[in-house]
Amino acid sequence: MKTSCVVLAAAAFGIAQIVQSERQHRQQLALHAEDIHQELISQAVSNPALRVMWTAPGELPDEEYTKILHCNRLISFWSVKFRAGLLDTASLRAQARWVMAREAGRTYWATLGSFREEEAADRVDRAFNAIMATEHAATVAVDAMAT
């Protein structure tokens, strides 16, 4: 009986290590994908031809689209930090409130928030988007009452 308990405990320990290793691997992949995404946005910001290629005709003037790209960089960075567990809900909410206090942040979310919600892959993406949408709605409601 003692031997089977030891074997069972060792197996449980091994499984826990495998699960932890898999989680860390997924976090590393997310961080690497974010590096690539940030580089693509940097190229689009610095290259007018790329900006035009990714802007739908008549969608936004070039200057506005450049601001949206900068917001995308920041919000995508927060998204991957949230996914990796480096940003908790309260901190994300504070940062979302901060970005939504700026016109560029509100424009970004009004323009691309629904797309982010469509592309959400899992509960982490949906939780992130819900926080961002809530802070956007709160800021828009305050703006509406002020006018």
Side-chain angles (χ1 to χ4, degrees):
M1 187 70 141
K2 290 181 183 181
T3 303
S4 62
C5 288
V6 170
V7 169
L8 185 59
F13 181 74
I15 290 170
Q17 283 186 314
I18 291 169
V19 168
Q20 179 63 23
S21 177
E22 176 62 24
R23 181 177 297 131
Q24 288 174 340
H25 182 67
R26 280 192 312 254
Q27 288 172 338
Q28 288 297 326
L29 288 174
L31 293 170
H32 181 65
E34 181 62 14
D35 285 343
I36 294 168
H37 184 246
Q38 292 292 330
E39 178 58 29
L40 290 170
I41 294 172
S42 291
Q43 290 174 13
V45 166
S46 64
N47 185 331
L50 287 176
R51 273 195 312 278
V52 168
M53 184 175 81
W54 292 113
T55 307
E59 191 174 86
L60 289 170
D62 189 52
E63 184 179 311
E64 287 297 310
Y65 190 63
T66 300
K67 290 177 186 176
I68 282 181
L69 287 172
H70 284 294
C71 284
N72 191 17
R73 289 184 80 173
L74 184 61
I75 290 170
S76 294
F77 176 63
W78 291 342
S79 176
V80 78
K81 281 180 68 178
F82 187 68
R83 173 167 296 286
L86 302 173
L87 188 63
D88 65 14
T89 300
S91 296
L92 174 58
R93 192 169 303 283
Q95 291 180 1
R97 195 172 305 120
W98 178 87
V99 81
M100 294 306 169
R102 284 137 183 86
E103 184 179 343
R106 292 188 304 275
T107 301
Y108 170 84
W109 197 260
T111 304
L112 293 174
S114 62
F115 176 70
R116 289 189 73 95
E117 290 172 4
E118 283 179 37
E119 72 172 354
D122 58 20
R123 65 177 179 77
V124 176
D125 288 342
R126 287 188 293 278
F128 178 87
N129 291 338
I131 290 168
M132 298 300 293
T134 298
E135 293 305 323
H136 178 260
T139 303
V140 169
V142 168
D143 286 349
M145 289 191 302
T147 57

XYZ file of all heavy atoms in Angstrom, residues 66-77 99 103-106 108-109:
162
model
N -2.784 56.717 -37.658
C -1.499 56.596 -36.957
C -1.723 56.603 -35.449
O -1.114 55.819 -34.714
C -0.544 57.731 -37.380
O -0.330 57.618 -38.792
C 0.788 57.636 -36.665
N -2.620 57.463 -34.964
C -2.941 57.488 -33.528
C -3.549 56.157 -33.086
O -3.233 55.637 -32.014
C -3.906 58.629 -33.218
C -3.293 59.997 -33.338
C -4.342 61.066 -33.091
C -3.798 62.449 -33.349
N -4.836 63.482 -33.206
N -4.412 55.606 -33.930
C -5.028 54.315 -33.613
C -3.969 53.216 -33.544
O -4.024 52.348 -32.680
C -6.148 53.985 -34.618
C -7.387 54.792 -34.243
C -6.455 52.508 -34.658
C -8.573 54.564 -35.120
N -3.003 53.263 -34.443
C -1.923 52.274 -34.401
C -1.144 52.371 -33.093
O -0.787 51.355 -32.492
C -0.982 52.443 -35.591
C -1.517 51.986 -36.940
C -0.556 52.392 -38.050
C -1.750 50.481 -36.952
N -0.892 53.586 -32.634
C -0.191 53.751 -31.359
C -1.029 53.196 -30.202
O -0.493 52.526 -29.311
C 0.166 55.215 -31.113
C 1.325 55.694 -31.925
N 2.602 55.212 -31.757
C 1.400 56.604 -32.920
C 3.420 55.808 -32.610
N 2.717 56.652 -33.335
N -2.329 53.459 -30.233
C -3.211 52.887 -29.203
C -3.214 51.362 -29.283
O -3.213 50.682 -28.248
C -4.635 53.415 -29.355
S -4.837 55.080 -28.756
N -3.219 50.843 -30.498
C -3.200 49.391 -30.681
C -1.950 48.783 -30.052
O -2.013 47.736 -29.419
C -3.290 49.042 -32.163
C -3.531 47.570 -32.396
O -3.937 46.838 -31.516
N -3.264 47.137 -33.608
N -0.824 49.458 -30.220
C 0.426 48.964 -29.610
C 0.264 48.843 -28.100
O 0.624 47.833 -27.502
C 1.589 49.897 -29.914
C 2.040 49.873 -31.335
C 3.224 50.734 -31.527
N 4.385 49.964 -31.068
C 5.618 50.368 -31.209
N 5.887 51.522 -31.761
N 6.606 49.620 -30.792
N -0.266 49.900 -27.497
C -0.409 49.927 -26.047
C -1.423 48.895 -25.566
O -1.147 48.108 -24.647
C -0.833 51.333 -25.608
C -0.952 51.581 -24.118
C 0.392 51.353 -23.432
C -1.451 52.999 -23.871
N -2.573 48.857 -26.193
C -3.629 47.936 -25.761
C -3.228 46.485 -26.017
O -3.499 45.602 -25.202
C -4.970 48.324 -26.416
C -5.438 49.654 -25.792
C -6.013 47.239 -26.251
C -6.610 50.308 -26.471
N -2.538 46.226 -27.105
C -2.053 44.863 -27.371
C -1.011 44.442 -26.338
O -0.982 43.289 -25.904
C -1.461 44.769 -28.775
O -2.464 44.952 -29.730
N -0.168 45.379 -25.945
C 0.818 45.104 -24.900
C 0.122 44.745 -23.592
O 0.475 43.765 -22.935
C 1.731 46.323 -24.737
C 2.730 46.204 -23.626
C 3.714 45.235 -23.648
C 2.698 47.091 -22.560
C 4.641 45.121 -22.623
C 3.623 46.984 -21.533
C 4.594 46.002 -21.564
N -6.476 55.204 -20.563
C -6.447 55.341 -22.028
C -7.781 55.854 -22.563
O -7.813 56.622 -23.519
C -5.997 54.035 -22.734
C -7.112 53.018 -22.865
C -5.417 54.328 -24.099
N -8.868 61.031 -26.121
C -9.668 60.907 -27.340
C -9.166 59.770 -28.234
O -9.957 59.013 -28.797
C -9.654 62.223 -28.115
C -10.535 62.191 -29.337
C -10.531 63.509 -30.091
O -10.121 64.536 -29.534
O -10.942 63.479 -31.258
N -7.856 59.631 -28.343
C -7.293 58.571 -29.196
C -7.717 57.186 -28.703
O -8.027 56.304 -29.500
C -5.775 58.678 -29.243
N -7.763 57.004 -27.398
C -8.185 55.716 -26.829
C -9.652 55.429 -27.115
O -10.020 54.305 -27.469
N -10.476 56.463 -26.953
C -11.905 56.283 -27.233
C -12.139 56.015 -28.719
O -12.958 55.168 -29.080
C -12.696 57.507 -26.776
C -12.726 57.658 -25.257
C -13.670 58.758 -24.808
N -13.387 60.058 -25.407
C -12.499 60.939 -24.938
N -11.771 60.638 -23.867
N -12.348 62.114 -25.525
N -9.972 54.651 -30.777
C -9.495 53.287 -31.035
C -10.582 52.270 -30.682
O -10.914 51.402 -31.486
C -8.226 52.994 -30.222
C -7.860 51.525 -30.284
C -7.127 51.021 -31.350
C -8.289 50.635 -29.310
C -6.826 49.677 -31.433
C -7.995 49.292 -29.391
C -7.260 48.816 -30.451
O -6.987 47.483 -30.542
N -11.129 52.378 -29.462
C -12.088 51.366 -29.037
C -13.377 51.446 -29.858
O -13.964 50.425 -30.223
C -12.383 51.433 -27.540
C -13.010 50.167 -27.099
C -14.332 49.936 -26.885
C -12.355 48.910 -26.916
N -14.537 48.614 -26.559
C -13.331 47.967 -26.571
C -11.028 48.499 -26.998
C -13.023 46.637 -26.306
C -10.724 47.172 -26.734
C -11.721 46.261 -26.392
